[in-house]
Each structure stands twice: as structure tokens, then as C-alpha cells.
Amino acid sequence: MKAVCVFMNFFLNQGMGHGNSGVEHAQFYRAQCFLKGQLPFKIVFTDLLQDLHVHMREWHLPENQVIGLYDFLLAADPFDYLDHGLPADEVHKSHEKILIDQTDTQRMITTQSSGNYQIRRLRDKIFNTEKNIYIVDDAYVSLTKGTHQVEWSYRQGPGEKIMQDIHLTNFLGENYYFLTFDELVTFFLNQLEVHFGQNTYFIDRGTFYDEALVRQKVAGSTQKIVGMVHANHKVSEENGHILFNNFYQYTLDHLDQYDAVVVATKAQKEALKSDLQGYTAAKNLDKIDAIPVGGVTNLGQKKTRKNQKLNLVTASRLHEEKHIDQIIDAVHVLVARGHDVNLTIYGAGAEQKKLAKQIKDLGLTNRVVLAGLSQNVTKDLQRYDVFVSASYSEGFGLTYLEALSQGLPVASYANNFGAKELIHPGENGYLADFLTTDADRNNNVVQLAEAILSCFQDYDRLSAGAIASCRPFLTEKVTEKWVELEDELA
């Protein structure tokens, strides 16, 4: 067995792809800070990602910064893979073959992954009486690379499929059986500890990580656990009882075993400490720290308004919770008032077709453009004047920061933490009040339209204020906070 490394930081996640959420972008930014602070790290993904290495190149992630669970399990030399990643000659574009039966149903899909292992999926066709349709889904999966193999089957759980009966063949010459995915993850984490020694685990996504690491901590492990809170920690409050976000419930219930909890804003730090009063031991409140999940490397130049056109931009996943449809409606309101407005929407996601139809139905095809995913948001934003967001909830708002750093004032709903932390009305943008009920939607849109218009009043001053507001978020300043946390954990 190879010599154990001294120390490693792991950013634990499930997956990434062509388009990513704020969680992945937070990891990418943190990676930049750790590089700058000379702190060792690896980003870990446990989903079966057939195009992982293609997307890593797309997002400029070197092989030696990422660990994919199945790449590790199938490697000829797993510990060499942990250190260096895949060799360049093993990274390929994935391709697949599909076998159909006499009913034109996909029964077997064979894929050569970007990590150079074969994925074979056998599929079941089962009639769903509740939906009155046949559902075709994976029943058995096998991954093969040379003499190395991982295979499992699925059973239907409440609302989702559950992996079971996992066989790992020829891992360092041994064969293993795991009843559940949780057992496999525990085995994986143990291997990381064997190779890297004393580690710190930053849990970005995946409650199974929390459970596995807490079990190990209770059993005497000295590994460090840091819970990352990327969204609002509280869903609602009923009769004086707080309903916490499911993603963070386990963390908040087991704070005794965590070494730190990191939120993105000072406002959320104070809110979380207040909400946890009496819920957990007082000493645990001191474990909560606020570190921005994003930073800016360079500040742009302030902008000047050159004409009467309202040149707007937004960038996010095209998902329902981002309420891009309300931005489009706000543009429609402004056009109806006689303003010359353009809106460019960067992003990809499930709402794309719906938004395209909305744009067409409102007669805005010459004014609103779905520009697709941006691989360089900061550069693309420079062409516009005002950034707009209609999100009801933002743990931080990375795109706010990217826009502000390029001199774009921001018009946004006054969501907690993200917008209220970064946008200072009259200084670098304007906030619109909103309510979350469907009955208030039209009034919300009008308020957002007013905030957009306000950003064009005294525009040059707001642009200068946007850049000034980013100085506390320069990468070197955020890096200092991560180094301080590392020192505290040590």
C-alpha cells in the first residue's frame, strides 16, 4: 500500500454536468480560493456520470482535482487515481448502443463512458396503475473496465428507486458485497481516509455523506466535518416550531458531531443562530461561520448610459424556482409603457420550451433572447446594462456578484440573504417587494418592473457603486476566510 498523505480537503457532491446549479459553482469558486491559499482539495462526485470528464474539461477542472466514485472503484490502481485522476489517453467522448424489443421498447443500453469504462443498463417495462402508463426504467446496471466491475440492481422505494445488492469485483484484488449504497459510500470514505489520512469533509450536497460521516464520528473518527448551507435553512414556522430545509435537517439535528457549519452571508449566520436557540447546545452556535461562496478576481470598469434603451440580462438555471417567466412579464409591462427594452437570458434547463412559448405568445421575439448556457458569464455580462433576478430565495446569488463586479446595477426581488446581502437600494441597484402566493404574482411583476426602471435613474452612479460593493468579495479576501477556517479546524 502506498504512503498515506498528510491531509486533504474534500468537497462532497453528487454530480455535475453541462449546466450546473449554484452548489457546483460555489465549489468551483472555493477551489479557486483553495488554490490561491495553497490548501489541498479534491471535488468528489458519487453519481454515475457517463460524461463526467467531458464536462470537467468544459468547466476547466483538471483531472487531479476531481474524484469520481466509479472511476475510483474501477481503476487498475485506485490510489494512483486518487492522486492524479485519469490519464489523458483514457478520457473519451461517450457513445452508446440501444437494443429495442418487438414493442419498440429500449431494453438494453450499452454506453462507453468518458472515463473509458462500459455501462450496461438492463431495463424493465412496468405498468403504473396510478398513472395508467407503462414506465421503462433501469432494473440492473453493470460497469466494466478490464477485469474490474461494479454491478447492482434496483428496488422501488417510496418515490424513488433504491440501489441494492452491489457487487464490487477485483478492487485491489478483492471482491466486495454491499447491501445498500450507504454501505458503498462508507467503504469509499474509509478508502479516502486510508490514503489521505486526517481529512476535512465539506458536505455540499448528499445527506448520505452526513449520515456516514456522523456514524464514523460517533464511533471515534477524528475526521473533520463541515456542513455547507447553500440555501435558506428554514422552510416555515408553525406554532412557534421551525420546519428546517430537508437538505440541512440532519446536519442541524447532529451539530454535536460537526466541526463547523458554513453559510454564505452574515445575515443568514445571525438568522441561523437565532433559529437554533434552544434547539441545540449553546456551544454549537459558535460553530456557524459566514464565508461568501463566491468571489471576484478582477473588477471591471464603471459603465455610462449612452441611450434610452433598457438593455437587460439575467443568467441562471432555467428552472421554475428562478421565475424567469416573471422577468419576461416585467419586460412586457415595460414595453406596454413605451420603453425600448431588450432582455438576454443565459442558462439551460427544464423551463426552456415553456419560456420560448411565453416569449412568442407575448410578441417579444425581437426583444427577448434565450442565449443558452454561458461558459464565461463575467465576460458575457459586460455587454449589458442591468442584471435582473426574480428568484424568491437565494442563499448567496453568485450571478449578482458577477454582474456587480462588471458595473451592472441589479434589480431583484428582495429575497432573504442573497439579494438583501449584496444589493443596497440606491447604491448598486434596487429591490422589489414580493409575496409568494399566486394571487400576488402580477403585483410582484409590476414591482420588479419598477425596480428595473429605478436602476436606470442616475445610472452612472449606480454602476460605480456596483463595483465598489464587490471589493469585500475579492478572491484574496475570501481566500483569507477559508485559510482562517482551516487554521481553526486544525
Side-chain angles (χ1 to χ4, degrees), residues 131-170:
K131 297 181 179 179
N132 198 34
I133 58 172
Y134 281 97
I135 294 178
V136 179
D137 208 347
D138 294 344
Y140 166 84
V141 177
S142 68
L143 315 178
T144 306
K145 187 174 185 180
T147 61
H148 308 276
Q149 187 174 55
V150 187
E151 56 186 332
W152 64 86
S153 60
Y154 288 104
R155 64 178 174 84
Q156 188 59 46
E160 63 177 348
K161 296 184 308 175
I162 298 174
M163 285 175 66
Q164 64 177 6
D165 297 329
I166 305 164
H167 295 260
L168 173 59
T169 302
N170 192 20

Side-chain angles (χ1 to χ4, degrees), residues 372-440:
L373 195 67
S374 170
Q375 294 297 329
N376 193 336
V377 174
T378 302
K379 182 178 179 181
D380 287 331
L381 290 177
Q382 294 171 0
R383 300 197 294 267
Y384 306 95
D385 298 324
V386 167
F387 184 89
V388 186
S389 171
S391 179
Y392 290 177
S393 176
E394 286 289 350
F396 183 70
L398 290 172
T399 49
Y400 293 161
L401 191 60
E402 289 167 326
L404 292 168
S405 73
Q406 300 308 304
L408 277 69
V410 174
S412 171
Y413 285 142
N415 58 65
N416 284 331
F417 310 135
K420 289 182 179 179
E421 180 91 358
L422 295 176
I423 312 306
H424 312 297
E427 296 180 17
N428 61 359
Y430 283 91
L431 297 175
D433 292 330
F434 70 99
L435 295 172
T436 59
T437 59
D438 291 341
D440 292 291

Side-chain angles (χ1 to χ4, degrees), residues 19-89:
N20 293 296
S21 73
V23 174
E24 286 72 56
H25 287 287
Q27 289 187 311
F28 301 162
Y29 275 113
R30 193 185 317 140
Q32 292 178 19
C33 292
F34 274 53
L35 284 172
K36 193 173 185 66
Q38 298 183 324
L39 303 173
F41 72 92
K42 301 277 186 178
I43 305 175
V44 177
F45 299 113
T46 52
D47 282 353
L48 177 55
L49 305 167
Q50 67 184 44
D51 292 314
L52 172 61
H53 300 274
V54 173
H55 293 139
M56 284 167 55
R57 289 181 174 181
E58 193 175 359
W59 290 100
H60 311 294
L61 296 176
E63 284 289 331
N64 63 359
Q65 290 181 6
V66 175
I67 297 171
L69 171 62
Y70 298 104
D71 288 306
F72 167 68
L73 296 175
L74 294 167
D77 186 339
F79 293 123
D80 183 74
Y81 168 74
L82 290 181
D83 290 330
H84 304 111
L86 284 188
D89 60 358

Side-chain angles (χ1 to χ4, degrees), residues 138-259:
D138 294 344
Y140 166 84
V141 177
S142 68
L143 315 178
T144 306
K145 187 174 185 180
T147 61
H148 308 276
Q149 187 174 55
V150 187
E151 56 186 332
W152 64 86
S153 60
Y154 288 104
R155 64 178 174 84
Q156 188 59 46
E160 63 177 348
K161 296 184 308 175
I162 298 174
M163 285 175 66
Q164 64 177 6
D165 297 329
I166 305 164
H167 295 260
L168 173 59
T169 302
N170 192 20
F171 178 84
L172 294 174
E174 300 290 338
N175 301 328
Y176 296 87
Y177 170 81
F178 308 100
L179 180 61
T180 64
F181 180 70
D182 285 349
E183 290 184 5
L184 177 64
V185 169
T186 300
F187 173 82
F188 173 54
L189 293 172
N190 285 337
Q191 297 301 312
L192 296 182
E193 182 175 352
V194 166
H195 185 61
F196 291 104
Q198 177 64 51
N199 304 313
T200 299
Y201 296 91
F202 295 81
I203 306 176
D204 288 290
R205 181 186 280 122
T207 54
F208 52 84
Y209 287 123
D210 294 87
E211 295 178 21
L213 289 167
V214 166
R215 281 197 303 268
Q216 292 177 331
K217 203 74 176 284
V218 170
S221 169
T222 59
Q223 305 293 298
K224 304 291 186 179
I225 312 175
V226 180
M228 301 300 302
V229 177
H230 291 284
N232 196 336
H233 60 273
K234 183 167 70 174
V235 175
S236 64
E237 188 170 343
E238 298 179 9
N239 300 321
H241 296 286
I242 296 172
L243 181 62
F244 289 111
N245 186 324
N246 280 342
F247 290 112
Y248 311 120
Q249 183 72 62
Y250 188 90
T251 303
L252 300 179
D253 284 346
H254 297 82
L255 278 176
D256 287 346
Q257 306 304 327
Y258 286 74
D259 298 278

